[in-house]
Amino acid sequence: MKWLNEEDIENIAIGAAVLGTGGGGDPYIGKMMALSAIKKYGPVQVITVDELMDEQWVLPASGMGSPSVLVEKIPSFEQLAAPLKAFEKVSGKKTDVVMPIEIGGVNSLIPVAVAAMNRIPILDGDAMGRAFPEAQMVTFHLDGLKPEFVTIADEQGNTVTIEPADGYWSEKLARNVTISMGGSSIVCDYGITGKQAKKSVIPGTLSLARQIGALLKEQRTAAVHPIVQMLDILGGYKLFKGKAMHIERGIQGGFTRGEAHFEGIDENANQSCTLFFQNEHLLAKVDGKPIAMAPDLIAVLDEETGMPITTEGLKYGARAVIVAFPAHEKWRTPIGIETAGPRYFKYPYDYIPLETLVKEHSSK
Amino acid sequence: MKWLNEEDIENIAIGAAVLGTGGGGDPYIGKMMALSAIKKYGPVQVITVDELMDEQWVLPASGMGSPSVLVEKIPSFEQLAAPLKAFEKVSGKKTDVVMPIEIGGVNSLIPVAVAAMNRIPILDGDAMGRAFPEAQMVTFHLDGLKPEFVTIADEQGNTVTIEPADGYWSEKLARNVTISMGGSSIVCDYGITGKQAKKSVIPGTLSLARQIGALLKEQRTAAVHPIVQMLDILGGYKLFKGKAMHIERGIQGGFTRGEAHFEGIDENANQSCTLFFQNEHLLAKVDGKPIAMAPDLIAVLDEETGMPITTEGLKYGARAVIVAFPAHEKWRTPIGIETAGPRYFKYPYDYIPLETLVKEHSSK
């Protein structure tokens, strides 16, 4: 993968919906944005973290807000261009490389569109190794960096530049600006040098998303079941097989929040599973006991096609396989757990690694 | 008045509380901010609109939010300095002269502090000729200008720069940023050239505030009652003499909103008066009928001392004289009434000029 082709982009869209743990909105909207930008502005080259030069300037670009809103008002090229332009103006730094702030739905492919529009490469890596709901939940924050600027644009022609006191203020102010803008926006934050990127970025996640997407598309022809292969690659676990029953979902504080209840089928007959989400799935319980929790990843796959189902896409009656993967080691540190562990999200649990929870559960 | 002295500043504080129609917070806090800035940075020179050179750059500075909150967290010098600095950075224009965006309470004297800190003059004029609650209620807006930038700072070290689509978006975004910041902020918006200032600024309003303040302080020694003299200068009317009874006041949407009910005394015995406010008084009714409405000015004066009482300062039992003055002619145009007339504030009345309302009322 040196230049992204249409198949790469489709595969990234699918794989990112898995790594995005249910968040990030309809991946096909991201695919559409990236492809239309490439068609208009030309192809996008992928650069690995190793290939970055220390003095190059790397800028993340992403969508912010409720994915439920984003899919209702798809960003224009003008809106996609504005935050990078504003960031360059306020920082005085020309962007050499665009990067995804997270791997998840639309946010894996918005930076591809922004890279195409600026005729610069995209970095194969991100600052979460998954998707998280809040702006300060990035490896830069874990490494003690604060976002010097956050630039935000809407589809009305408004642009806002924040110089926040710290990462938490960047989240609070950018979130409220996004709500004022109608619930979704395009954002650039945490510009970094190539040198810093080598230290903080989780490398290879765009390629990983592409690989997983390609795998899952093979569903019907593969000898070994693609979900099994995927779990193998990600060191993950199949948690539950069930049918979606009651789903509570609402837009609250600029997020899509809710719970999804599943009734077990086949090997999980007579069991129940509940997923709790704030844009992304953050906690999974089986029969009332936690089985996976943030920062570890939780994904819902269609039982028949193997395709990931986002929190927006989940409907009553869907037959699904719920899987989980360990988070990148950066998230399993004290600061990682403090930043994005269950207690931060107000769940009354100390973080327990997925592997331990699964072992405890299966030994009962 | 060429260089502001302590007495000038006190007089401006008092006069601005009259022209501020009840809004703008405790004028003594503005006085304190201006005096401490002058003490630290040196005196401030006043420049008239006529003295401006066409190519000079004039920047308004003000406080935004609920005055009830502002008085609880008085801005530091650092916070006062930040919006002008951010505005200069984003616009690339050095500020030659600071101006008040409105004449009202703290907002007449915050720009004096900002002028002192930057060792530049303050303009004798403002963009309202009074105080209004919302950012787009300025003569610049009436003249078809939009705020190119709005810069906002809080006491936590956050700075936000907005490039709004128009004046209404500037209000919406800046208001919500201010709410996120805890309910009050310091703002610069609508930077203009000297040439534009000559067209749009309402001239002489700082001097007018000073003159009114000086007059009202003479209360006890004057031959002609100072309130009478003041009404003469402003072409105003005494509407009602009464005792404050029930006062409803709350913080809502970043404003102090409410109603104040008065029971008539002396010549108004057996009558009642109600004032409706959103930071500023916007509507006065006597016996349920409108007697004064925005954009015309409404002020409450202490019956004994003649001193203005702000919407925050108004307490049960206060004996008050309620007065009103015609707004500057710029506000009595169709666009002026559309921008700041009673229907904009959701009162079910077409605008009727103060003079007409008073004549109708007294002929009954």
Side-chain angles (χ1 to χ4, degrees):
Chain A
M1 175 165 64
K2 200 64 189 164
W3 293 89
L4 292 172
N5 65 31
E6 187 167 342
E7 201 180 342
D8 293 330
I9 285 167
E10 183 169 326
N11 290 339
I12 290 170
I14 296 166
V18 176
L19 297 175
T21 83
D26 185 344
Y28 290 95
I29 289 176
K31 177 185 152 187
M32 196 196 70
M33 280 196 273
L35 288 179
S36 67
I38 287 171
K39 192 174 167 193
K40 184 161 178 195
Y41 297 95
V44 172
Q45 194 169 16
V46 179
I47 180 171
T48 66
V49 174
D50 289 341
E51 287 167 345
L52 277 177
M53 285 177 291
D54 280 357
E55 65 283 2
Q56 280 188 300
W57 185 248
V58 184
L59 188 61
S62 59
M64 189 173 204
S66 161
S68 318
V69 175
L70 184 74
V71 301
E72 299 293 323
K73 46 173 201 158
I74 296 171
S76 64
F77 286 129
E78 210 174 9
Q79 184 187 355
L80 284 169
L84 182 139
K85 247 187 259 170
F87 203 103
E88 290 192 339
K89 186 178 172 187
V90 72
S91 67
K93 284 169 188 148
K94 187 97 192 64
T95 311
D96 297 309
V97 178
V98 176
M99 71 171 274
I101 195 80
E102 65 180 357
I103 293 295
V106 180
N107 274 348
S108 314
L109 292 167
I110 282 176
V112 172
V114 173
M117 292 170 69
N118 290 279
R119 299 183 169 82
I120 52 180
I122 183 156
L123 188 67
D124 185 4
D126 77 310
M128 300 190 188
R130 49 164 291 166
F132 276 124
E134 299 186 14
Q136 78 286 358
M137 295 173 176
V138 285
T139 50
F140 308 133
H141 177 80
L142 306 186
D143 290 340
L145 296 181
K146 76 162 209 177
E148 201 184 350
F149 305 106
V150 185
T151 55
I152 309 173
D154 70 7
E155 77 292 356
Q156 311 275 345
N158 295 297
T159 307
V160 172
T161 299
I162 299 170
E163 295 183 50
D166 60 28
Y168 292 97
W169 273 110
S170 87
E171 163 63 23
K172 185 174 176 183
L173 291 167
R175 185 74 47 191
N176 284 332
V177 166
T178 297
I179 293 170
S180 305
M181 286 173 164
S184 81
S185 66
I186 300 295
V187 170
C188 285
D189 62 354
Y190 281 104
I192 48 162
T193 61
K195 191 174 177 182
Q196 186 64 50
K198 285 174 193 168
K199 188 170 173 249
S200 294
V201 165
I202 300 183
T205 47
L206 213 56
S207 298
L208 182 63
R210 188 191 61 102
Q211 184 188 2
I212 291 167
L215 245 177
L216 291 178
K217 280 205 306 187
E218 287 168 15
Q219 178 78 354
R220 290 192 187 99
T221 54
V224 179
H225 195 294
I227 294 183
V228 176
Q229 287 185 59
M230 181 184 77
L231 292 176
D232 197 43
I233 292 168
L234 297 171
Y237 300 88
K238 191 164 123 179
L239 301 182
F240 197 82
K241 194 171 171 181
K243 199 174 120 185
M245 304 302 289
H246 181 53
I247 299 156
E248 293 164 41
R249 188 167 39 209
I251 297 172
Q252 195 184 41
F255 299 104
T256 301
R257 288 180 202 258
E259 300 178 13
H261 300 270
F262 294 83
E263 195 179 85
I265 50 177
D266 299 344
E267 63 268 34
N268 293 104
N270 302 318
Q271 290 186 295
S272 70
C273 177
T274 307
L275 301 180
F276 299 82
F277 53 87
Q278 174 185 332
N279 288 8
E280 281 76 31
H281 295 301
L282 299 171
L283 177 66
K285 289 184 184 180
V286 168
D287 291 344
K289 294 225 168 68
I291 183 114
M293 46 175 76
D296 292 327
L297 292 74
I298 300 163
V300 180
L301 306 172
D302 184 290
E303 189 225 358
E304 196 195 345
T305 66
M307 289 292 118
I309 306 175
T310 63
T311 53
E312 269 75 39
L314 199 56
K315 286 187 184 67
Y316 173 84
R319 292 169 71 93
V321 177
I322 298 163
V323 296
F325 326 106
H328 189 276
E329 59 190 16
K330 282 178 183 271
W331 291 108
R332 292 178 150 207
T333 58
I335 176 132
I337 293 161
E338 185 193 314
T339 304
R343 296 222 179 256
Y344 179 85
F345 295 109
K346 311 251 187 283
Y347 300 117
Y349 305 107
D350 288 326
Y351 171 71
I352 300 173
L354 174 65
E355 304 85 316
T356 312
L357 284 172
V358 169
K359 196 187 277 179
E360 277 176 8
H361 185 82
S362 60
S363 69
K364 270 172 207 159
Chain B
M1 177 166 61
K2 198 65 188 163
W3 293 89
L4 291 172
N5 63 31
E6 188 168 341
E7 201 183 340
D8 293 330
I9 285 168
E10 183 170 326
N11 290 338
I12 290 170
I14 297 167
V18 176
L19 297 175
T21 81
D26 184 344
Y28 290 95
I29 288 177
K31 177 185 155 189
M32 198 196 70
M33 280 196 274
L35 288 179
S36 67
I38 287 171
K39 194 176 165 191
K40 184 162 177 191
Y41 297 95
V44 172
Q45 194 169 16
V46 179
I47 180 172
T48 66
V49 175
D50 288 343
E51 286 167 347
L52 278 177
M53 284 178 293
D54 280 358
E55 66 283 4
Q56 278 188 302
W57 184 248
V58 184
L59 187 61
S62 58
M64 189 171 203
S66 160
S68 318
V69 175
L70 184 74
V71 301
E72 299 293 324
K73 46 173 201 159
I74 295 171
S76 65
F77 286 129
E78 210 175 8
Q79 185 187 353
L80 284 169
L84 182 139
K85 246 187 259 169
F87 203 103
E88 290 191 339
K89 187 178 171 187
V90 71
S91 67
K93 285 170 187 149
K94 187 96 191 66
T95 312
D96 297 308
V97 178
V98 176
M99 70 171 275
I101 195 81
E102 64 180 357
I103 293 296
V106 181
N107 274 348
S108 314
L109 291 167
I110 281 176
V112 171
V114 174
M117 294 171 68
N118 289 279
R119 299 181 169 86
I120 51 180
I122 184 157
L123 188 66
D124 185 5
D126 77 312
M128 299 189 188
R130 50 165 290 165
F132 276 123
E134 299 185 14
Q136 78 285 357
M137 295 174 174
V138 285
T139 50
F140 307 133
H141 177 79
L142 305 186
D143 290 340
L145 296 181
K146 76 162 207 176
E148 202 185 351
F149 306 106
V150 185
T151 55
I152 309 173
D154 70 7
E155 76 293 355
Q156 312 275 345
N158 295 298
T159 308
V160 173
T161 299
I162 299 169
E163 297 183 50
D166 60 29
Y168 291 97
W169 272 110
S170 87
E171 163 62 23
K172 184 174 176 184
L173 291 167
R175 185 74 48 192
N176 284 332
V177 166
T178 296
I179 292 169
S180 306
M181 286 172 164
S184 79
S185 66
I186 300 295
V187 170
C188 285
D189 62 354
Y190 282 104
I192 48 162
T193 61
K195 190 173 177 182
Q196 186 65 48
K198 285 174 191 170
K199 187 170 172 247
S200 294
V201 165
I202 300 182
T205 47
L206 213 57
S207 298
L208 181 63
R210 187 190 63 100
Q211 184 188 2
I212 291 167
L215 244 176
L216 291 178
K217 283 205 304 189
E218 289 169 15
Q219 177 79 352
R220 290 191 185 102
T221 54
V224 179
H225 195 294
I227 294 183
V228 175
Q229 286 184 60
M230 181 184 77
L231 292 175
D232 196 42
I233 291 168
L234 296 171
Y237 300 88
K238 191 163 121 181
L239 301 182
F240 198 80
K241 194 171 174 182
K243 200 174 119 186
M245 304 301 289
H246 180 54
I247 299 157
E248 294 165 38
R249 186 167 40 207
I251 296 172
Q252 194 186 43
F255 299 103
T256 301
R257 288 179 202 257
E259 299 179 13
H261 299 269
F262 294 83
E263 195 180 84
I265 50 177
D266 299 344
E267 62 268 35
N268 293 104
N270 303 318
Q271 289 186 296
S272 71
C273 176
T274 306
L275 301 180
F276 299 83
F277 53 88
Q278 174 185 330
N279 288 8
E280 281 76 31
H281 295 301
L282 299 171
L283 177 65
K285 288 184 183 180
V286 168
D287 291 343
K289 294 225 167 69
I291 182 117
M293 46 176 76
D296 292 327
L297 291 73
I298 301 162
V300 180
L301 307 172
D302 183 288
E303 189 224 359
E304 195 195 345
T305 66
M307 289 293 119
I309 306 174
T310 63
T311 52
E312 269 75 39
L314 199 56
K315 285 187 184 67
Y316 173 84
R319 292 169 69 93
V321 177
I322 298 163
V323 296
F325 326 105
H328 189 276
E329 59 189 16
K330 281 178 184 273
W331 291 109
R332 293 179 149 206
T333 58
I335 176 132
I337 293 161
E338 185 192 314
T339 304
R343 295 218 179 260
Y344 180 85
F345 294 107
K346 312 254 188 280
Y347 300 118
Y349 306 108
D350 289 325
Y351 171 72
I352 300 173
L354 174 66
E355 303 87 315
T356 312
L357 285 171
V358 169
K359 195 187 276 177
E360 277 176 9
H361 184 82
S362 59
S363 68
K364 269 172 210 159

